[in-house]
Amino acid sequence: MSAKAIESGGGDAIDPFRPESPSDEEDEPSQSSNQASDGSPGKPPQGPPQGPDGSGSDPRDPPKDGGSNFSRKADLALEPNPSDHPRASTIFLSKSQTAVRQKRKSNHLNHVSPGQLTKKYNSCSTIFLDDSIVRQPNLRTTLKRMTLAIYYHIKNRAADRSLDIFDERLHPLTREKIPEEYFEHDPEHEFIYRFVYTLFSAALLTADCAVVTLVYLERLLTYAEIDICPTNWKRIVLGAILLASRLWDDDAVRDVEYSQILKDVTVEDMNEMERHVLELLHFNINVPFSVYAKYYFDLRSLAHDNNLNVLFTPLTKQRARNYEAISRLCDDEYKDVCRAAMRRSFSADHFIGIRRSNAILS
């Protein structure tokens, strides 16, 4: 099943599991003399006593030099996690917007033409849409957007913080010897896409599983305080896919079937990696629909900002009827859930009655 799916879905002779070939003092403070100009000993300097770090009168005061770092860490600690909070901005979109602004600024300074506009815009008579909606995303389009988000994570990483369980040099995914130069260059977007698409097509995973994979990936980066870098990106992505497919796919793929896709990876290695991912996530595997929808629409914004080629076609009456039927089906499911919640009974031990205050007649 796996080999056939790879041959039919990949469409590329390049093996995505093989390594990609690499592409091209501060001044010392001056010592002041304790003697006056006439040679007599000078008086000690007046003023408030300094702390051990020269910050203030009280050693318990926060240091002046590290005050900005201290406040920055405090602000980061107070910021909500984007993978948990629906109103927090996703990390990949922030990194992408920063890179896009820098690229546009460089093009403007170097007088580089943006080229011919190829986007299609809606009008009063025609509406252009792709075949991807939040309820039923398109697999290829969603994977291209998700792998582009991973690419920006690697490209704009702060450091190379990692863990041994995700280090491909310690736990290789192939028996072939990987040159050290492979880990010194960032992978290209197309190479990341081939790796992820091969896994999804061989395991028959759905597009919504890709969105949940990205949620788990960003949650893993923030919880474990690690970065995606050339030495660990494959195993981090694989661990997030394993967890997302097991919990969010109706036909969950077992690790034994993944070992048939990745023939050089043992089942024990996959089980250990999945266990580490769960522990690093603090077993927080719940993804609210509000968070899922935020990641889905941020992926659309990511594709729009980076001019990612997506096939837009005019909205026909038949497509509009199909979207309306899907929306009606979602409304019916939501109403059924609400009715089931209203019919839910409580035991006498946990029954809480409605308290009514006595009327006061004046």
Side-chain angles (χ1 to χ4, degrees):
M1 177 196 71
S2 304
K4 185 178 181 180
I6 295 176
E7 294 175 359
S8 61
D12 200 331
I14 300 177
D15 187 1
F17 301 109
R18 296 182 61 185
E20 185 186 30
S21 57
S23 60
D24 310 322
E25 296 178 338
E26 299 180 352
D27 296 334
E28 295 183 357
S30 59
Q31 297 179 356
S32 59
S33 175
N34 290 333
Q35 293 183 354
S37 58
D38 55 356
S40 60
K43 296 181 180 181
Q46 302 295 327
Q50 300 293 324
D53 52 2
S55 56
S57 60
D58 193 344
R60 294 170 294 180
D61 292 342
K64 290 183 179 179
D65 296 337
S68 57
N69 296 333
F70 178 82
S71 60
R72 191 182 302 113
K73 291 181 180 180
D75 294 339
L76 291 175
L78 294 176
E79 290 181 359
N81 193 324
S83 59
D84 297 326
H85 199 279
R87 294 183 180 273
S89 177
T90 53
I91 303 175
F92 71 86
L93 187 60
S94 301
K95 293 183 177 181
S96 168
Q97 291 173 346
T98 302
V100 169
R101 283 195 297 266
Q102 293 176 352
K103 182 178 180 181
R104 290 176 179 174
K105 182 179 179 180
S106 176
N107 292 340
H108 176 72
L109 295 176
N110 297 327
H111 304 284
V112 178
S113 175
Q116 185 179 2
L117 297 178
T118 58
K119 295 181 181 178
K120 297 181 179 180
Y121 294 91
N122 298 330
S123 63
C124 297
S125 59
T126 307
I127 299 177
F128 291 97
L129 291 176
D130 58 355
D131 58 347
S132 179
I133 58 177
V134 65
R135 181 69 178 182
Q136 292 181 353
N138 180 270
L139 179 60
R140 284 181 176 269
T141 303
T142 305
L143 288 181
K144 277 189 173 294
R145 296 167 178 172
M146 188 261 283
T147 51
L148 184 60
I150 298 174
Y151 169 79
Y152 274 109
H153 269 295
I154 302 174
K155 202 73 174 178
N156 301 313
R157 62 187 182 275
D160 288 344
R161 301 172 299 177
S162 182
L163 298 174
D164 291 345
I165 187 62
F166 301 123
D167 196 335
E168 196 175 349
R169 293 172 297 187
L170 303 177
H171 306 278
L173 299 179
T174 177
R175 294 179 182 176
E176 298 181 6
K177 186 177 180 180
I178 303 177
E180 190 64 27
E181 293 79 8
Y182 165 74
F183 302 108
E184 298 177 358
H185 299 272
D186 297 335
E188 296 298 332
H189 174 221
E190 288 299 326
F191 184 71
I192 302 174
Y193 171 75
R194 287 197 299 267
F195 174 79
V196 175
Y197 182 79
T198 303
L199 289 176
F200 270 75
S201 59
L204 302 178
L205 302 179
T206 56
D208 52 350
C209 185
V211 180
V212 177
T213 298
L214 186 58
V215 176
Y216 285 160
L217 190 143
E218 290 205 343
R219 189 175 294 178
L220 179 64
L221 298 181
T222 53
Y223 282 22
E225 297 182 352
I226 58 178
D227 300 284
I228 306 183
C229 54
T231 60
N232 64 7
W233 72 268
K234 280 187 178 181
R235 292 183 62 85
I236 288 181
V237 172
L238 178 59
I241 292 176
L242 288 174
L243 189 60
S245 63
R246 183 182 297 275
L247 298 173
W248 291 90
D249 200 284
D250 295 334
D251 300 326
V253 181
R254 297 176 298 176
D255 292 347
V256 178
E257 299 179 5
Y258 277 108
S259 63
Q260 297 176 359
I261 303 172
L262 303 170
K263 299 185 181 299
D264 296 336
V265 183
T266 62
V267 179
E268 292 76 14
D269 185 17
M270 290 189 181
N271 292 335
E272 183 181 3
M273 183 167 54
E274 188 175 358
R275 179 176 60 84
H276 275 80
V277 171
L278 275 172
E279 292 177 353
L280 293 173
L281 292 179
H282 302 162
F283 296 91
N284 181 16
I285 56 177
N286 180 39
V287 179
F289 185 75
S290 56
V291 174
Y292 172 89
K294 177 189 66 174
Y295 272 78
Y296 170 80
F297 287 108
D298 280 2
L299 284 174
R300 294 182 68 96
S301 301
L302 175 72
H304 180 270
D305 295 341
N306 291 269
N307 298 323
L308 194 63
N309 294 328
V310 178
L311 181 61
F312 288 93
T313 56
L315 178 64
T316 61
K317 292 183 178 180
Q318 185 60 37
R319 290 181 64 190
R321 294 192 188 98
N322 295 338
Y323 293 152
E324 185 179 1
I326 295 174
S327 177
R328 191 182 301 112
L329 178 62
C330 297
D331 292 340
D332 294 340
E333 292 179 357
Y334 178 74
K335 291 178 182 178
D336 293 340
V337 172
C338 292
R339 294 193 192 99
M342 293 176 62
R343 291 195 301 265
R344 186 177 299 169
S345 59
F346 298 91
S347 62
D349 296 335
H350 300 87
F351 179 76
I352 300 176
I354 302 176
R355 298 181 179 179
R356 296 183 175 89
S357 59
N358 296 327
I360 300 177
L361 302 177
S362 58

